Amino acid sequence: VQQLSFDNYPVKETTLEKKWYQNLEIFSEEARLANKPFWAFALAVNFAPHHVPTVAELRLQVYSDLAYGAQGIQYFTYWTPNGDALDFNTAPIELDGKRSEVYDRVRLMNKEIKNLSWVFLGAKVVSVAHTGGVIPLGTKRLIKLPETVKVLETTGTGALVSEFINGTNSFLVIVNRDFVNQMKLTLYCEPAV
């Protein structure tokens, strides 16, 4: 295969699936070892135990995927499935072919991703770690800061912190792991010499 595909839907009501980041950690590492790019899904449909995804939930999924090195974002599912026991509803396109409110949310995410493609497309992950009092199962705690970062502090649940290189540029991506509450971020950097 030319690329690998990661499929996991972490948002359940107001919590995240406990093993989501662990699964993303394992999958992204295996993709690196296989020297294959990976694409990752974000949930864009309502079915139990999930609900209609908010913009914040889509952002958490998409930016976490990108921070782990995903080179493409897929949505499950674009068109609402018909006649399934899982009672799918409110995908971007409804059964009748009309756009749902999720259509505009996915469109917004795609616009954001496109505007940042120069950052993420072709990027190579250097490190991925997490901040917070409790970090997700199977992940690494942020201990060593990137060279030019002098202070990186977060409040609340904590954040995913990814450092990567794209061409001659280095990037630091910080994703709030809480899709309900805002996170205060304190970040002090020095210019690279």
Side-chain angles (χ1 to χ4, degrees):
V1 295
Q2 293 179 353
Q3 71 271 338
L4 305 175
S5 180
F6 177 72
D7 192 359
N8 190 311
Y9 309 120
V11 180
K12 295 183 177 163
E13 309 224 356
T14 58
T15 62
L16 284 178
E17 170 66 42
K18 291 183 193 243
K19 293 184 179 182
W20 178 51
Y21 280 111
Q22 180 182 39
N23 290 339
L24 192 50
E25 187 100 10
I26 292 167
F27 194 90
S28 64
E29 178 62 20
E30 290 298 322
R32 275 192 290 283
L33 290 173
N35 199 28
K36 301 266 183 179
F38 81 95
W39 295 6
F41 276 94
L43 184 63
V45 67
N46 177 23
F47 71 99
H50 308 282
H51 56 266
V52 176
T54 65
V55 171
E57 292 165 359
L58 287 170
R59 277 195 181 116
L60 174 69
Q61 293 175 82
V62 166
Y63 287 112
S64 292
D65 291 339
L66 292 169
Y68 269 92
Q71 292 297 293
I73 298 297
Q74 306 164 93
Y75 296 98
F76 180 82
T77 177
Y78 186 72
W79 200 290
T80 302
N82 188 9
D84 194 284
L86 295 176
D87 192 27
F88 288 105
N89 62 78
T90 322
I93 303 296
E94 292 281 15
L95 284 171
D96 62 4
K98 294 187 177 154
R99 297 174 182 173
S100 74
E101 70 256 30
V102 178
Y103 180 90
D104 290 324
R105 295 171 190 173
V106 167
R107 186 172 70 176
L108 174 67
M109 288 311 313
N110 287 341
K111 183 177 181 183
E112 287 182 19
I113 295 166
K114 183 178 179 185
N115 288 338
L116 292 169
S117 64
W118 64 277
V119 173
F120 293 108
L121 190 59
K124 302 292 182 210
V125 174
V126 173
S127 68
V128 177
H130 292 261
T131 68
V134 176
I135 64 169
L137 179 71
T139 64
K140 300 169 192 82
R141 179 173 296 284
L142 179 65
I143 296 172
K144 185 177 183 288
L145 296 174
E147 189 176 314
T148 60
V149 176
K150 298 307 169 199
V151 175
L152 192 158
E153 297 172 351
T154 62
T155 61
T157 302
L160 158 62
V161 179
S162 177
E163 180 183 7
F164 55 89
I165 296 171
N166 196 344
T168 58
N169 296 310
S170 295
F171 294 95
L172 187 67
V173 174
I174 302 169
V175 181
N176 180 6
R177 289 195 320 264
D178 187 339
F179 58 87
V180 176
N181 300 297
Q182 292 182 357
M183 173 189 76
K184 181 179 176 186
L185 171 66
T186 304
L187 182 66
Y188 295 110
C189 300
E190 289 183 355
V193 180

